[in-house]
Amino acid sequence: LHAQEAGSTAAAESADGRRVTYVVRRGDTLSDIARTLRVTVASLREWNNISGSSIRAGQKLVAYVRRRS
């Protein structure tokens, strides 16, 4: 993972899990990121107001990931 926590809001709890900020790298796709973070592409789109599949390197995406037990 190359998700990073950015400030206190990044660690905030949500009904969906722990909030993390993911910085998009060159060559990343929404599918790749979703697989890495163990979330759905639909969730990534919803959390980040993305209607298509267009993302760019350096863009920050928010995701809510489940705690691993």
Side-chain angles (χ1 to χ4, degrees):
L1 283 185
H2 55 279
Q4 58 179 304
E5 290 191 19
S8 59
T9 57
E13 292 295 326
S14 151
D16 296 314
R18 183 174 54 95
R19 179 179 161 152
V20 296
T21 301
Y22 181 94
V23 180
V24 178
R25 292 184 178 180
R26 186 173 162 204
D28 277 348
T29 66
L30 285 175
S31 295
D32 294 335
I33 296 166
R35 191 175 315 109
T36 297
L37 298 178
R38 297 181 181 180
V39 298
T40 65
V41 172
S43 292
L44 278 178
R45 285 190 178 123
E46 180 181 339
W47 295 328
N48 294 282
N49 297 314
I50 299 170
S51 58
S53 60
S54 180
I55 55 173
R56 64 189 180 285
Q59 182 176 352
K60 292 181 181 178
L61 300 178
V62 170
Y64 295 90
V65 298
R66 293 187 178 150
R67 292 185 184 273
R68 294 189 181 149
S69 31

